[in-house]
Every structure is written in C-alpha cells, then in structure tokens.
Amino acid sequence: MLVLKGIPASSGVAIGKAFLFSSEELLIPRRPIAEAEIPAEVMRFEEALIQTRHQILGIQHRLADEMGQEHAEIFNAHLLVLEDQSLREEVLGGLKAQRLNVEYIFNEVVRRYLRAFARTNDEYLRDRTADIEDVRKRILRNLTGRHLDAMGQLDEPVVVIAHALSPSETALMHKRHVLAFVTDVGGRTGHTAIMAKSLGIPAVVGVEVATARIEKEGLIIVDGTRGEVIVDPDPATIRRYEVEQRRIQEVNRQLLQLKDLPAETLDGHRVTLSANIEVPDEIPSVIAHGAEGIGLYRTEFFYLNRTDFPSEEEQFQSYKSVAERLAPQSVIIRTVDLGGDKFLSPLDLPTEMNPFMGWRAIRFCLARPDVFRVQLRAILRASAYGNLKLMFPMISGLEELRRAHEILEGVKGELTREGLAFSPAMDVGAMIEVPSAALTCDLLAGDAKFFSIGTNDLIQYALAVDRVNEKIAYLYEPAHPAVLRLLKQILDAGHQAGIWVGMCGEMAGEPALALLLLGLGLDEFSVSPIQVPLIKKVIRAVEYHTAQAIAQQAMQFRTGKEVEAFLLSHLRQLVPDLAE
Ligand code: PEP
Ligand code: MG
C-alpha cells in the first residue's frame, strides 16, 4: 500500500481501477467497415489531408508575416510528410486489406514509420519524427472532427490517472465512466479541478508522481477531500473508505433536505445562492440542489473540442434553452473567456509565455469583434426568453469595460434594425478578477449593474501565484490578508455605488470562507451545484451580526493561516456536523 499526497481539488471518495490516460497516446477508435464503405473512408482520408495542408499553409503564412520566411520554412517538412506517396498508398492498401476505419489504419501505418525512424542511425530521418508526430495528430484531429475522445472509449468505470488533463479533455469525461481523477500537475482552482466539481467526481491534482507510481489497472482509492491517493490499499483500508463513502452519502442526503429553504441567516438576512455551470447538461443538477439560478455560465466550453467557431444560431438555441429552463430565476452568462488554461481549438494559437496574463477573455474578444459580436447577438436574442444577465470577464479598467459596452450597444442597434427581439434592459455586470479592477471598483461601478468577484484569478494575480502550478500551490491562500483587503474594498465600493456584489470564484464554495464572505456583506454566492446545500447550511447556521463580527475579527490577523484557523474554529462551533 502506498499513500500519495496531492492537492484536494474536488471532494468525495472513489474506489476503483486505475486507468492511465495519456494525451499523447490517444486511443483511436477501431471499427470494422463493410466493403461498400471503403470509398467513403478513402474520401474522408483525402479530405483530412487537404484540410491539414490548408492548416499548415495557414501557419506558414502567419509565421512568414510575423517571424520571417526562415521560420515558415520549418513547416516544409510537414508538407513533405503529407505528400508522401508511400504513406498514402500504405494507408489505402491497409484499408482494403483490413477493412477497418481509416483513422485506425492511418495511425498504425504512421506508428510503424515512427518506430523505424527512431531505430535508424540516419540523423536526418531521426529528426523527422517530431514533424511526423505533429502531422499524425493534426490528421487524426481532422479525421475525427474534434479532439480524440479517449474517454469515450472507456467501457467500465475507472479512476483516470494523467500527467495533465486539459479542461477540454476533462469536458469529455463522462461521469458514468470516470469515478475520479488524479493528475501529476495542476492547482485547486484550475479549470480541470473546477470541471471535476461540476461532474461531481472526486479529484486530487498536483500529485507530481502519480503517473510514475501508479500501475495500470491496479486498485486505488481517491480521497478528494484530504487530497490523498491510496495505491494498492489493504482490505482494512478499503473497508474504512467504504464506510466513509456511506457517511458522505448520508451527509449529502441530509444537506439536500435544505433544498427548498432560503439562503438566509438565523435572523433573516437573505443572500442569493446560485450555481456555476460549464455546460447546459448541468442544469438538472442546479435544480436538484436548489440553487437560485445561475451566477456564472462559463460559455467557453462551447468553443473547445471543435475545429470551427460556434455559430450564432447554435449559441442562441443553447442560451435560449438555458434561459427558459431556469426562468423566472436569473442566469448570468459570461462572455467567452478563452485563453489562460482554456485553449481554443480552431485558432491554433501560438503558446504564450504567460497565458493567464496574456491574450485571454475580454482582451481576446475586443481584438476579435467578429467572434465577440456573434456571441453577443446570440445572448441578446436569448434574453427575450427568460431572465438573462451578462457579464464581461477579466476587466482591468474602465476603458475596456466601456469598449465592451460600445460593442454591445452596436449589436443591440443591429438587432433592432433587423427586427429581432431581445430584452433591452438586460443587466450587464463586470467580473472583478484583476487587481487593477478591484482597486478601482468605485470608478467602474457607474458602468456596471453588478460586480461578480472571480477569486480564482484575483488571488493568482494578487499573490503572484499561478493557479495551476502545483509547486507553488501552498502560496495560493484565499484567506491571505491581501486578498481579504481587496475583497472588502470591492464590496464597500459596490455597495456605496448602490450595486450588488456577488462571487463566482471557488472561494465562495468553501464553508469556512463563506462565513467570512457573509460577514463582509457579499450579496450573492455562486458555487458549483453540489456545493449549494453545503453553503446554505453554513448561512442558515449563523446570525448576521455574528458573521459580521467574525469577519471584522478575521481582518485583524496578520497571516492567512491564522485567518483560516480562526474561521475553522467558528465553523466547527456553528455547524459541528460539517467539520470532520
Ligand atoms: C474566477 O476567476 O474566479 C472565475 C470564476 O473565472 P474562471 O475560473 O473561469 O477564470
Ligand atoms: Mg476568471
């Protein structure tokens, strides 16, 4: 038995067989085909080759413009791979001889090449392996029309072990087949961890040695609450965790009894308790857990795992259905926040040195009004069907906020001219997740109907701690006095200007911190659907003036650790059955 320590990313316990997932070794579907299907498979292959060629030529043009011809020529080798006749003939021959789907045959042929090249003494050929590998992935992606869905290949429930999981890979996981996941890298507010919470599966990230120490298919236990992974557990440990699983189920069952009760303190101070979603599939869970609407709909998952941009109609239908299903409760749609750890499949963007501080969110949207307007049109049109609100992510100052409003107003004008219905009075707010915005909330308040604090980013920027880097995760402290001061400043400025202030970062879903936020005057808590009952329990266990006194005292401590210990001791007193 071996116990590995990591970062608790999504609570709960799972016991199951390990499945080592590697993005590099994608599972390629293998499907027998009839003779009559061969021409269609050949056609798919030819089209994928043409599409790949266009993409590579596109990259070459861009590189030639931005960095000069020499850099662009590096990609000539990729084009040569595409034009290689013997590769093509082998694939077509294999297709006829083996009668299997073309991505499978193609992958087998290329892997044979790669193995042979790796063994050769010819340095030139050895150097070509990286080019071939790149072309292999591109062609496979084009053949399948999306990133390969290795998760879709699973036919029994497993615990996924991976070095890293991108948010788009996590989005493909299905709760039915993935009991839990464990990664070598990552932090607790990375989008991979957030997705695990949405799926309601336990997760431990930042284990560092998970893929090195966990054998394929061995039994493991994931304790997402403590951040532990137990490899080859002995029978007594398995029994202990089975009891723990039942205890968690019982606690959750009891919490669910609060479903229809309001989120109000013992003395009647009411707050809004809503849920965050990534995809509309989560709506049943939002309703089942008794959330009051949606405080953050992260629309970027629409843009991942595909090779084109989502159309206005596609987005409109989806937003409209979310608005209708939640009405009369409100749904806050956030305009797309691509970049950071959520990479856009169709764009093939060059890797940035500091993606979280780079071309993301509103910065990307303002630079690409063509993409932005399509989304704004879809959101506005959907606003005619329910109680929609909209917010812009990563606002760093007033100019950006005004520019976003200008584009929105332009789109409203267009819709009016076209005679398309929308709600002209839809509330528009700003996410406060950049320190410059936090420090100038008084200046922004006149141009926002509400603020929603994005602590996942705000903390990483305020403390200079990358939210997905496990090496420095110990510095990522929501209770750090610097963070508390920023929060107080945002809340006070918002309230002085007469607007409500919510929080949709993960901090709002931590019971001890929720106590503090309540006391600081937070008006809206938006958390992962499964955390809704938990936070409601905390709010309903305290009098408002007590929470205010706790918050005031918490502001006096000099370290985050002290604040945390102080809040935990109060939580234990107020809700003893929650604290372990
Ligand atoms: C945040 O930053 O707190 C937030 C809610 O947005 P995201 O996690 O999507 O960056
Ligand atoms: Mg954010």
Side-chain angles (χ1 to χ4, degrees), residues 66-136:
E66 289 169 8
M67 302 176 72
Q69 194 57 31
E70 274 158 59
H71 285 91
E73 279 171 12
I74 297 170
F75 277 85
N76 284 346
H78 292 59
L79 292 173
L80 285 177
V81 177
L82 277 177
E83 280 155 18
D84 189 312
Q85 278 310 315
S86 51
L87 177 88
R88 212 175 144 269
E89 275 158 25
E90 273 191 60
V91 172
L92 299 185
L95 200 57
K96 286 181 192 131
Q98 295 182 53
R99 298 253 190 92
L100 292 167
N101 56 316
V102 73
E103 43 275 75
Y104 184 84
I105 301 281
F106 166 73
N107 191 46
E108 290 296 295
V109 171
V110 178
R111 286 174 54 144
R112 219 164 38 236
Y113 272 61
L114 286 169
R115 279 196 294 272
F117 281 18
R119 280 197 302 268
T120 175
N121 289 329
D122 182 331
E123 215 170 295
Y124 174 79
L125 284 182
R126 268 211 317 268
D127 287 350
R128 295 283 68 78
T129 54
D131 303 331
I132 298 178
E133 184 54 22
D134 191 62
V135 173
R136 177 180 81 103

Side-chain angles (χ1 to χ4, degrees), residues 13 82 129 147 164 233 291 300 311 331 339 346 355 360 421 437 440 477:
V13 166
L82 277 177
T129 54
H147 282 294
E300 44 280 4
S311 68
V331 174
R360 65 173 284 211
T440 54
E477 284 187 292

Side-chain angles (χ1 to χ4, degrees), residues 334 337 360 431 433 454 456-457 467:
R334 174 174 76 182
D337 181 1
R360 65 173 284 211
M431 279 194 75
E433 48 184 348
N456 304 339
D457 280 313
R467 65 194 260 195

